[in-house]
Amino acid sequence: MITLNTQFVRIKSLIWTQSEGEVVIMDISTGKYYGLNLVSSDIFLRCANQITVRDLINALMESYTVERSACEKETLDILNVFLKKGIIEITPSL
Amino acid sequence: MNGFIFGILGPKDFNLNRFKDITSPSLRALGDGFTMESESVFFHTISSHKVPMMASIHGWILLLNTTDPQTLRWPSADLSQSLDPAKTILDTVLRKGIKTLDRLEGHYSIVLYQERTQKLILQSDPLASVCLYIAHDKKNIAFSTLMGPLLKSGVFPKDLDETYIADYLSIYSVATQMKATHTIIDSISLLPPLNRWTFDGDSKHYEQIQRPPLEMIKDPALAMKLFRKTLDLVIRESTLGYEKVGLMLSGGLDSTIVGGLLATHHQDVFSYTQVPRFIPSPLPKAYIPDEESLVKAFIPYHLNIHPVFESSKGYDAYTVLDRYLDFMEGPYKVFENSHWIYSISQRAVKEGCDGLVYASFGNATLSFGSFQSAAAELFWGFHWISLCKELKQRNIKTKQSRLKIMLPILSSALPPHLALLIDPKDKKQLEALTAINPDFYKRMKMNKRFKHSAYDNDQRKILPLRKHQAAMMKDETLSLFGAVNTKMSLSYGIDCQDVTFDRRLMDLVKSFPASAFVHNGVERRMAREGYEDMIPSEISANVKYGVQGIDFIQRLLPHWSEIRFEINIALNHPMIQKYFDIPKLKRALELTTYPDPNDYLNSEVRLLMRTLIFYRYILKWEKYPS
């Protein structure tokens, strides 16, 4: 389960690309492509290096006009889906 | 660099001393190795990697053979950071269960053994790119990276599998007809891709790891983007462990793209281009003889590629024949190219390259075959409007008539007996390359084998592109391709790997729309259009093909009397008499007193060389204990 203090990173061996701004991820093990919407794509792109959920939300708050509680909830939802699908992995805190 | 694993399980009274010398000098050159023996097992690993390839936890032992631990990718544990990948894998399997191995990517073969229950588990990677042979009878089970040690142990019968010989004699490549597990030795099997075999006491269990196919991609632009990303990732990952990388660069589309990508990931790339010492005349119009000029046009694009033009002086297919025997189950064409592949590999070793990369599987995963094959795909997929457009463009570009393009496609679809009526030369031309003992021919029903000949031995047969890909990507072909790569690396002393031989690439290209294969009358669309920024137009616009080993016959000429002498001796060998048509071989000898090197497709020379390969293999096989 991901919390605000969780540190994570995008899986390096993922195969993905951008099509009209949206990220498309290829998952060989399930045979599926995942198309992310613009917000999820933005979150995905910000996970290239290790980051904590709190830092990610702070960065998102600077880019989007949204209430903090809503941003936290939606980001945590998206990250939990990413974790379940094997798109990100939790890394030990430094 | 490939390592080596060997192990045998058997009754407590077997003599361990007979396994002390199972390895060859080339294997011993990799290092001293590591041995574990008890009353009932003997395990041995050799590896040039600086990390151990054997681990033991709670009575379980794991043996790992990998070209490079850095190629291993696993959602279950971060192997790239592990100082001891064998231990990390074993620990994770013990914690999460054997199923967790289903998602382990990379180049490897794995053996797991539990001492208490004597349970043995063998697993291949998604392509069986690091091969593993298995011998099994009522008393013993053994496994090995190479077949030789299993035979050298003298524990298992060495009888030859006659169905394998029948295939070998009819098409000189067993890849298209044999089961993926078969080898030339009856008692030895080859572990196919994505397989996990469990031996548990008296019972054995074979498990094919299931991977669903990728969904079809409808948008060609998205296909192109994913294609570029995947190829880039594959090349980066598979060469991560190399400081200095060598590349076999022919000037063709596939190897040039691979060269361009390697140059973006490595500081120095040494490209090796074979320069023929003789060009036959006349050459067919579709062939390009001067590959050197194409390479020279490409080099200025990447200043960190250091070109070497190699003429393999002193080598020919005859002088390197014994080395070729190590991986002779591959297509016969490899033999004709063996002199320059060997000479380039030795040059790369000398220059300190950690690996030698090539792109021969690119025909299936990168450039997708000929225009006719793509046209056949459109025709049989009922994309007739697209086909008409492509044929019109092709006609404008090459002046080739539409009927001439379509006729072979239609005749290829006919059942073999009808196709023979239209082109009766078909069967004769195939049989001209063979000399099979009539009794053996009848006993093994060889006539049927010729009727069902596949892409590998009949170049004129036009298969729709997806069928062509499927034939190249089936387990039988992949198993042998992996075995050839593994054995070539061990034989030549350098990691030889085809970076276009990757499961992710294969899965991806199978999901492309038909329009990805051909565009504006030109085949190989993805490779040509996707890499316009990286390669010169001379190469991306080139529609001709190079002829590898074009000087094959010319190079044999200095040894020709020696070769004839050896074949004359071979004709008296009982095994050659048992399987070969001796009068036909004698006629071939009469017709080739001094072969004309301009006749570079001479079938008698090929027939004699194929006989010689088999004879030399039999001589080697006879030395193994009965």
Side-chain angles (χ1 to χ4, degrees), chain B residues 572-608:
Chain B
N572 296 317
H573 193 284
M575 292 288 267
I576 298 297
Q577 290 177 347
K578 183 177 176 184
Y579 296 120
F580 284 83
D581 182 345
I582 302 297
K584 191 170 177 183
L585 289 177
K586 283 183 177 169
R587 274 197 304 280
L589 277 171
E590 280 166 20
L591 289 169
T592 53
T593 318
Y594 195 82
D596 176 6
N598 287 307
D599 182 16
Y600 65 99
L601 293 174
N602 185 308
S603 54
E604 282 83 19
V605 170
R606 278 167 174 75
L607 179 58
L608 294 172

Side-chain angles (χ1 to χ4, degrees), chain B residues 73 378 414 424 496 571:
Chain B
R73 293 282 177 272
L378 291 175
L414 293 171
C496 299
L571 297 185

Side-chain angles (χ1 to χ4, degrees), chain B residues 61-73:
Chain B
I61 296 160
L62 184 135
L63 278 66
L64 169 68
N65 187 11
T66 174
T67 53
D68 182 350
Q70 295 200 59
T71 66
L72 303 176
R73 293 282 177 272

